[in-house]
Amino acid sequence: MFLMGKLKRDPNSVELANKIIEQYQPKSVEDMQEALKDIFGPMFESMLKGEMNHHLGYESNDKGEKESSNRRNGYGKKSVRTTAGEVEIAVPRDRDGSFEPQLIPKRKRDVSAIEDKVISMYARGMSQRDISSTIEEIYGFSVSHEMVSEITDSVLPDLAEWQSRPLNNCYPFVFVDCLYTTIRNDYEVKKYAVYTILGYTMEGKKEILGLWLNETESKHKWMQIFDELKLRGVEDIFFVSMDGVSGLEEGARAIFPDVTVQRCIVHLIRNSIKYVPSKDYKPFTAALKKVYGAPSLKACHSAFEAFEKQWSTYPGAVDVWKRNFSHVEQLFDYGSNIRKIMYTTNAVESIHSSFRKVTKKGAFPHENALLKILFLRIKELEKKWEGGHIQHWAMVMNQMLVHAHLKKRVKKYLE
């Protein structure tokens, strides 16, 4: 067992702590906080007096005061928020009003760094009411809903900058999906589509390229989005993985003609089991896995023939795969590591799963309210992704170099 020695403390700090305990006789953490509040006031006032001395060029009662045109002019009362609660302080004033305190600037009443705490709670999906209650419970002062909104609005300039930032010239893999949420618009609650695009960089890093809102999904909206990506610097995309969104494939190819569009296999499975009784889910999906998970295209065709015969009693389910079989076949044009990435939109769906944790509280009052909470969530996700990269990325890059239509493009953007 490892025994840690006694921590070494600054003797001056120990002496100060003993004096505080001796004077206040605290019996609880709350008593200690009250003692700190009493100490904060004189500390603030002493430092503000020092700032005033520096501003005027002489100390209080110094002979320089009589010779100066600007003098002290009493004190003004001010209540400031600290991490220990509200503290009343006396702020020195000068006659000509030129004193600008740096410690607690004019009109500033919060020195608790509460803004960061509010933004952090908002990013985790807490409502304005819950944030206000939590702040009051922990710090002893109330924060209005309006103040919470003002604090969180401070991220809007960062959001605007992020939305229009330049992007990389190439993303080998891009995943697109839509999340639906509700916004109150002119007293009417409407469903809105949140368009999210996730890209994998040439270095194998994840990057959310942007967020877009629209009342519906449409071909024209997707074209606008891909056109915006191009204007922000994206020259090439090798693969786009998507669900069956109307107009997405045409919209992507209209802007990036050489892109390979892949239907998400997981979405096809979900679409097909709608026609299958629950008792047959397990054997049905097991038979499907032999199709899209086959070791070769020949084995895939054999497995699909067997699948059609075995499940012919559910023609609706089989027809989903017949109509989209070209998307299964094209998987086998590439190596297993590429297939493992492109066959599903799970990467972007996991982002939407994270979004749902902060959007489930109900309808948002306006678009900015929704966008800022999603932007803060993205910042949280980016912290988790720092330093990481896509699994087996080196093998993915090697497999892309095997294909003539990819080799030149890969080398172009690696140089």
Side-chain angles (χ1 to χ4, degrees):
M1 181 178 176
F2 177 75
L3 296 175
M4 182 180 288
K6 186 178 178 181
L7 289 172
K8 292 184 179 180
R9 300 285 188 190
D10 182 348
N12 293 327
S13 299
V14 174
E15 184 182 355
L16 177 60
N18 288 333
K19 285 181 179 179
I20 294 170
I21 291 170
E22 184 181 339
Q23 181 174 343
Y24 289 91
Q25 299 291 312
K27 306 293 185 199
S28 65
V29 173
E30 289 76 15
D31 291 344
M32 289 171 65
Q33 286 181 321
E34 286 301 315
L36 287 173
K37 282 171 67 175
D38 282 355
I39 294 165
F40 279 176
M43 283 176 65
F44 284 136
E45 289 170 357
S46 179
M47 293 173 75
L48 287 168
K49 284 178 184 177
E51 285 193 42
M52 178 62 85
N53 290 341
H54 178 74
H55 174 67
L56 295 175
Y58 55 84
E59 295 186 11
S60 181
N61 299 320
D62 195 309
K63 64 179 182 179
E65 184 161 6
K66 295 178 181 178
E67 301 169 3
S68 174
S69 60
N70 189 21
R71 302 181 185 182
R72 289 171 176 78
N73 189 31
Y75 296 87
K77 284 187 178 180
K78 186 172 186 175
S79 180
V80 293
R81 298 184 180 99
T82 74
T83 51
E86 296 270 2
V87 174
E88 198 82 24
I89 61 171
V91 181
R93 297 181 300 199
D94 59 345
R95 286 190 175 181
D96 67 10
S98 59
F99 177 50
E100 295 286 346
Q102 301 301 306
L103 177 67
I104 307 174
K106 289 178 179 177
R107 294 175 292 281
K108 184 176 177 67
R109 295 186 177 275
D110 192 344
V111 294
S112 64
I114 205 70
E115 290 90 349
D116 292 340
K117 297 176 180 68
V118 167
I119 288 173
S120 179
M121 286 187 275
Y122 192 80
R124 286 166 174 77
M126 288 181 68
S127 67
Q128 291 184 350
R129 185 184 301 278
D130 289 341
I131 291 171
S132 181
S133 300
T134 302
I135 294 296
E136 186 164 12
E137 185 177 330
I138 296 174
Y139 300 105
F141 56 81
S142 60
V143 178
S144 67
H145 293 186
E146 291 76 15
M147 183 178 176
V148 172
S149 183
E150 286 176 13
I151 290 171
T152 55
D153 279 351
S154 66
V155 306
L156 290 175
D158 293 334
L159 167 62
E161 185 180 344
W162 178 82
Q163 285 281 56
S164 59
R165 75 195 189 282
L167 297 172
N168 292 347
N169 51 16
C170 179
Y171 292 90
F173 296 90
V174 161
F175 308 87
V176 297
D177 195 24
C178 269
L179 166 74
Y180 282 90
T181 188
T182 49
I183 294 176
R184 289 193 299 273
N185 195 349
D186 295 329
Y187 305 102
E188 183 182 0
V189 176
K190 290 185 178 181
K191 282 274 188 184
Y192 269 71
V194 179
Y195 297 73
T196 307
I197 297 188
L198 170 70
Y200 287 179
T201 69
M202 292 295 289
E203 296 73 35
K205 306 284 185 180
K206 290 182 181 179
E207 183 183 344
I208 296 176
L209 308 189
L211 294 172
W212 296 265
L213 298 184
N214 203 45
E215 288 189 33
T216 57
E217 287 185 278
S218 69
K219 173 184 175 181
H220 297 297
K221 183 63 179 179
W222 280 116
M223 281 185 66
Q224 289 171 12
I225 289 172
F226 282 110
D227 191 44
E228 181 185 318
L229 295 183
K230 194 153 195 173
L231 290 171
R232 288 167 59 195
V234 181
E235 298 172 6
D236 200 357
I237 295 171
F238 299 168
F239 301 95
V240 170
S241 294
M242 49 163 265
D243 64 5
V245 177
S246 174
L248 196 157
E249 186 168 351
E250 296 90 332
R253 285 210 173 99
I255 309 299
F256 298 100
D258 296 327
V259 70
T260 297
V261 179
Q262 175 63 47
R263 282 291 304 274
C264 174
I265 300 299
V266 176
H267 276 87
L268 292 177
I269 293 170
R270 290 175 192 161
N271 292 342
S272 61
I273 60 174
K274 293 175 184 175
Y275 303 97
V276 178
S278 56
K279 66 181 179 67
D280 286 334
Y281 280 2
K282 197 169 182 179
F284 179 83
T285 54
L288 271 177
K289 193 169 184 179
K290 292 179 182 178
V291 177
Y292 64 82
S296 65
L297 181 59
K298 185 177 180 181
C300 170
H301 283 146
S302 298
F304 189 63
E305 286 177 16
F307 168 79
E308 284 186 279
K309 290 176 183 177
Q310 182 182 359
W311 299 103
S312 58
T313 49
Y314 304 134
V318 173
D319 188 55
V320 169
W321 291 92
K322 280 184 177 179
R323 284 186 281 109
N324 292 281
F325 196 64
S326 61
H327 286 281
V328 179
E329 289 179 307
Q330 80 173 358
L331 287 171
F332 295 94
D333 292 341
Y334 305 97
S336 59
N337 292 102
I338 294 177
R339 289 206 301 269
K340 198 171 286 186
I341 292 176
M342 65 185 281
Y343 91 102
T344 178
T345 58
N346 279 355
V348 70
E349 286 190 61
S350 69
I351 293 169
H352 280 172
S353 177
S354 179
F355 285 174
R356 286 188 185 95
K357 291 176 183 177
V358 296
T359 58
K360 62 184 178 183
K361 59 186 178 183
F364 289 82
H366 45 75
E367 291 187 11
N368 276 347
L370 172 61
L371 283 171
K372 67 186 178 184
I373 199 170
L374 295 181
F375 173 64
L376 289 169
R377 196 63 174 171
I378 287 169
K379 295 290 108 180
E380 294 282 320
L381 291 172
E382 287 177 345
K383 288 177 188 175
K384 293 180 182 178
W385 296 341
E386 281 179 8
H389 62 274
I390 309 306
Q391 195 174 21
H392 307 305
W393 187 251
M395 288 303 300
V396 171
M397 296 299 287
N398 279 305
Q399 289 180 7
M400 284 196 286
L401 289 169
V402 170
H403 298 274
H405 75 287
L406 290 176
K407 185 175 181 179
K408 188 181 291 186
R409 293 155 75 187
V410 170
K411 286 187 173 182
K412 175 183 176 181
Y413 296 108
L414 278 178
E415 291 173 357

